[in-house]
Amino acid sequence: MTTRWGILATGRIAHSLADAINASNTAELVAVGSRTQEKADRFAAEYDNIQAHGTYDGLLADSNVDAIYVSTPHPQHVEWTIKALDAGKAVLCEKPMGLNHAEVMAMVHAAQSNHRFLLEAFMYRMHPQTQQIRDLLAEDAIGELRHIHATFAFNAPFSETSRLYAAELAGGGIMDVGCYPVSMARMIAGSEPTDVAATGMLARTGVDLYTSALLSFEGGVGAHVATGVGQQLENSVAIFGSQGSMHVAWPWQCPAEWRVTLSRGRETEEFTGTSASAYVYQVDEVDRCIQAGMVESPTMTWEDSIGNASVLDRWRAALGITYPQEKPETLAQPVYGRALNTANTTMPRDTIPGVGKSLSRIVMGCDNQPNLPHAAAMFDHFIEQGGNVFDTAYIYGGGRIETLLGQWLKARGIRSEVAIIGKGAHTPLNRPEYCRPQLTETLDRLQTDHLDIYFLHRDNADVEVGEWVDALNELHDEGLIHVFGGSNWEQERMEEANRYAAKHEKQRFSVVSNQFSLAKMLSPVWPGCVSANKDEFRAFLAAEELALFPWSSQARGFFTPRYDSIRAGESSEFRNSWNQPGDEEMKRCWFSDENFDRRDRAMDIADHKGVELINIALAYVLAQPFKTFPLIGPRFLWETTSSLSALDVELSDADIAWLDLAEKR
């Protein structure tokens, strides 16, 4: 079977791919799409018998097309890749796949959701020359890896109207060709850098003219990468090890007569070969994967593309480069190129007296967002899945998280449709007099005039509960908060606070945000943390009709495959993540025989129902006899999707009793 190709956009690189398709024995060029019919016709006239579409949408609707090559300028990659995947097409997207990690994450999630093939077009990765590099490294031909030197740069005349120098087109060396040495260095090291430091010169348009970066990997391995659009470099790769080195003079274009030079002491060995264009190998790899039913290629996996984008983000951040599309004032719409869909109300909702709107049963925890593009992608997706409650706190990220949420809310214009949870008065500033100034700052960051729900982030037993109740009632009566409660408060203090409120005819604590999950927390995750897992606390919540907003509702990785690695004594540290719970934390907080038993029982139910283990853990929290609105803290879109699947899981009373270790089967 031959893969039938359509090319989306008609720039110079599109011709390179079209020529490769025609040179391949596995592919057929059948269509092209452009923004105008004239450009599409002009491109089609250069090739035999291909359909010319005057719109990109027309190309995506073409039933004769199996695979789409997205060759638009960088900022349009994400929109048209996702639209192509949604249209059921396989996609080869020109590098860099997205402007940032968030865009690549969204593209990968679209490929996962549609179960369609997606590959970032680093054509050198498929070439025999690169395979020779991999083979020599696998054979330890240079001994223990020590250092990598990779460069790709050229000197183009400066022009503010040039694609290469335009900030709105994501110009500059890092995105145009710097992505190559970064991808090569990461491939050679076989891991993600622990640190990225950079220096360089910016053009007056704000993009990088030339720059170099030092990538630090575990084990003392360093990679010096350099790029630029205003500086010519050697454009080669050198790899140094304890027993020798490798040098590749033309690593990126991959010439027809290729060469890898291996040096060990005074001995030099040449590995050579002849080959077709690197683009042909790329086209053939897409066909090979599609015919095999694969959705990603081992030559450049989805994780690899996400990791590469993350390093490019860090490189740009070190130089202070932000593209216009990434700024709050230009955050016009979601990455998929259409208005946010707020009409989905399929996620179960419930109410809390005093809030004034129904609340999604799952709450988006806002403490894992490294920047605005990532936050926007996560928040947009949550809204489109039917979620509408967001949890944040005064201390998260030193205020950065509240600021990101506020910028997104303003850009989307949906404040009235969502509920915002805020928290304040955290240790050591956990006294009533800190509530008002912190809340004022929180509201400024969020760009709103009230919080729907407010929690005292920690208790302070040295403060009389009446002082807390009085301070919160002042804020409530002024309309700054609608309902309030305690986070990490003991049952006795909650009861005392509500007795005081009743006696003085004041608003009571009506919500709680303590830790609660199927696995019982053995040791506080952080100092001052309190769990609601005790039977007495659960009975109290039900009797007093208090709504619980449990944090760490899925026990911070205990119900994921990380558990198996840690239990086996292996490292489970994730790559491409941040604020990630460590292995020692998991053992300290969750490892006990009772929790192991609960996990095993949850696994049995998950196997019986055909769902993920994590879904059973979250479904357990949702199935309590009191109102629960569990907080989740996804770092990636697929983690949100996985968590939301718990809403479709029904647990019987017998299931709950068995998970509570109250019954045997």
Side-chain angles (χ1 to χ4, degrees):
M1 182 177 176
T2 299
T3 298
R4 299 169 300 176
W5 283 84
I7 294 181
L8 192 147
T10 56
R12 179 185 58 81
I13 193 66
H15 289 82
S16 298
L17 202 283
D19 293 341
I21 292 172
N22 285 338
S24 169
N25 294 322
T26 70
E28 178 185 4
L29 181 60
V30 300
V32 64
S34 184
R35 291 194 179 277
T36 68
Q37 190 65 51
E38 179 184 2
K39 289 182 178 180
D41 290 339
R42 189 184 308 133
F43 187 96
E46 300 180 35
Y47 304 93
D48 294 332
N49 302 315
I50 72 171
Q51 179 67 46
H53 296 279
T55 65
Y56 295 159
D57 288 321
L59 174 64
L60 300 187
D62 192 332
S63 60
N64 292 319
V65 174
D66 304 313
I68 296 288
Y69 171 56
V70 176
S71 61
T72 64
H74 305 334
Q76 284 80 57
H77 286 179
V78 61
E79 174 183 351
W80 291 104
T81 292
I82 291 176
K83 286 181 175 178
L85 292 166
D86 287 345
K89 311 298 186 183
V91 176
L92 172 67
C93 179
E94 186 51 45
K95 56 78 210 161
M97 189 179 282
L99 296 190
N100 48 54
H101 161 271
E103 290 191 355
V104 177
M105 173 183 66
M107 297 155 86
V108 168
H109 184 253
Q112 290 175 319
S113 301
N114 290 290
H115 197 69
R116 287 293 181 268
F117 179 82
L118 172 63
L119 174 64
E120 185 173 14
F122 278 112
M123 78 292 185
Y124 84 91
R125 283 288 190 96
M126 297 84 184
H127 195 271
Q129 179 176 258
T130 305
Q131 185 57 50
Q132 183 65 69
I133 296 172
R134 291 193 187 99
D135 292 344
L136 290 172
L137 290 171
E139 297 166 5
D140 291 327
I142 61 172
E144 182 181 330
L145 181 65
R146 296 285 173 81
H147 186 73
I148 304 159
H149 183 80
T151 62
F152 194 1
F154 55 89
N155 192 358
F158 177 80
S159 171
E160 292 190 1
T161 61
S162 167
R163 172 190 71 82
L164 295 173
Y165 290 100
E168 64 273 14
L169 294 178
I174 293 175
M175 299 301 280
D176 200 65
V177 290
C179 51
Y180 280 90
V182 168
S183 69
M184 176 69 86
R186 293 175 48 263
M187 183 196 78
I188 294 168
S191 63
E192 300 301 331
T194 57
D195 187 55
V196 177
T199 187
M201 176 69 71
L202 302 187
R204 61 174 177 266
T205 54
V207 303
D208 57 293
L209 189 66
Y210 57 86
T211 175
S212 63
L214 178 62
L215 315 183
S216 301
F217 296 90
E218 291 184 358
V221 175
H224 177 255
V225 295
T227 190
V229 291
Q231 175 65 55
Q232 183 66 51
L233 295 175
E234 185 182 51
N235 299 341
S236 63
V237 170
I239 311 165
F240 301 90
S242 59
Q243 303 299 319
S245 64
M246 273 187 275
H247 183 265
V248 184
W250 298 98
W252 319 123
Q253 288 83 4
C254 300
E257 296 184 0
W258 56 267
R259 182 184 309 272
V260 177
T261 302
L262 174 64
S263 299
R264 286 180 288 201
R266 296 182 178 179
E267 298 181 359
T268 298
E269 186 175 0
E270 301 283 354
F271 295 85
T272 62
T274 59
S275 63
S277 161
Y279 294 101
V280 174
Y281 289 100
Q282 181 173 249
V283 168
D284 289 345
E285 176 64 6
V286 173
D287 178 79
R288 183 188 73 83
C289 292
I290 292 175
Q291 304 312 325
M294 301 164 63
V295 293
E296 57 182 322
S297 167
T299 62
M300 190 73 193
T301 65
W302 294 343
E303 182 183 11
D304 206 345
S305 291
I306 290 170
N308 216 60
S310 296
V311 176
L312 298 181
D313 283 354
R314 295 164 72 182
W315 193 349
R316 286 197 293 124
L319 298 174
I321 300 172
T322 301
Y323 299 128
Q325 297 89 336
E326 300 171 313
K327 296 179 179 179
E329 58 271 20
T330 54
L331 191 69
Q333 60 186 8
V335 293
Y336 27 81
R338 57 167 173 76
L340 184 67
N341 177 18
T342 60
N344 183 4
T345 58
T346 57
M347 187 185 296
R349 297 190 176 190
D350 208 336
T351 59
I352 295 176
V355 173
K357 64 187 72 171
S358 61
L359 308 175
S360 59
R361 288 293 308 281
I362 300 290
V363 177
M364 171 63 74
C366 304
D367 63 346
N368 293 313
Q369 290 72 43
N371 51 47
L372 183 57
H374 184 273
M378 297 296 294
F379 299 163
D380 288 338
H381 177 251
F382 184 64
I383 287 288
E384 294 211 339
Q385 302 308 302
N388 75 331
V389 187
F390 296 83
D391 171 86
T392 185
Y394 177 80
I395 68 165
Y396 288 169
R400 181 177 55 83
I401 299 300
E402 290 182 334
T403 299
L404 293 177
L405 180 58
Q407 290 170 338
W408 172 78
L409 283 171
K410 181 179 180 181
R412 297 293 178 263
I414 58 171
R415 175 63 183 95
S416 63
E417 300 175 54
V418 304
I420 305 298
I421 300 172
K423 297 185 286 292
H426 190 285
T427 308
L429 306 179
N430 58 337
R431 294 190 59 82
E433 58 265 28
Y434 292 109
C435 291
R436 181 178 293 278
Q438 289 187 1
L439 177 60
T440 299
E441 192 171 354
T442 286
L443 296 177
D444 287 342
R445 294 168 179 167
L446 291 168
Q447 304 184 60
T448 186
D449 62 357
H450 73 281
L451 294 178
D452 300 274
I453 301 172
Y454 181 79
F455 288 108
L456 298 170
H457 210 160
R458 290 287 191 275
D459 189 13
N460 182 349
D462 294 332
V463 176
E464 295 290 336
V465 291
E467 295 182 43
W468 288 119
V469 174
D470 290 343
L472 294 175
N473 269 265
E474 287 182 11
L475 301 174
H476 171 269
D477 293 345
E478 294 174 28
L480 301 178
I481 57 177
H482 287 177
V483 300
F484 56 79
S487 177
N488 300 298
W489 274 52
E490 297 285 359
Q491 175 184 339
E492 294 78 7
R493 288 278 285 178
M494 291 284 294
E495 291 176 328
E496 185 180 353
N498 281 351
R499 284 196 298 270
Y500 177 91
K503 179 179 179 180
H504 295 86
E505 299 183 344
K506 296 190 176 231
Q507 182 77 17
R508 71 170 191 151
F509 283 33
S510 57
V511 287
V512 184
S513 185
N514 285 8
Q515 193 282 321
F516 184 86
S517 59
L518 173 57
K520 292 190 175 182
M521 185 175 69
L522 309 173
S523 174
V525 175
W526 301 286
C529 290
V530 176
S531 174
N533 264 107
K534 296 178 181 178
D535 291 340
E536 299 82 6
F537 209 132
R538 295 162 71 178
F540 163 69
L541 293 171
E544 296 296 320
E545 297 183 345
L546 297 175
L548 178 66
F549 288 76
W551 54 268
S552 291
S553 60
Q554 298 171 96
R556 294 174 66 79
F558 183 77
F559 294 99
T560 70
R562 288 191 63 206
Y563 162 91
D564 299 303
S565 299
I566 299 173
R567 192 87 191 272
E570 302 169 355
S571 173
S572 74
E573 297 300 334
F574 285 176
R575 294 190 297 178
N576 303 326
S577 62
W578 46 90
N579 194 21
Q580 178 65 43
D583 294 356
E584 291 304 315
E585 177 195 297
M586 185 183 291
K587 289 188 286 188
R588 174 177 60 84
C589 298
W590 312 106
F591 273 29
S592 72
D593 290 340
E594 283 194 354
N595 281 340
F596 297 155
D597 195 2
R598 291 186 182 92
R599 194 181 192 278
D600 290 342
R601 294 187 179 202
M603 181 67 79
D604 288 343
I605 296 177
D607 291 343
H608 178 72
K609 292 182 177 293
V611 299
E612 295 182 69
L613 175 60
I614 199 74
N615 299 154
I616 300 301
L618 189 55
Y620 170 86
V621 178
L622 290 163
Q624 294 304 306
F626 44 86
K627 288 185 179 182
T628 59
F629 298 85
L631 279 58
I632 60 173
R635 292 161 177 79
F636 303 102
L637 293 172
W638 45 89
E639 291 182 346
T640 303
T641 299
S642 174
S643 293
L644 297 185
S645 297
L647 294 165
D648 299 323
V649 176
E650 294 187 10
L651 297 178
S652 66
D653 291 343
D655 290 332
I656 296 297
W658 195 55
L659 291 170
D660 279 333
L661 310 183
E663 294 183 5
K664 295 183 179 180
R665 285 186 178 177

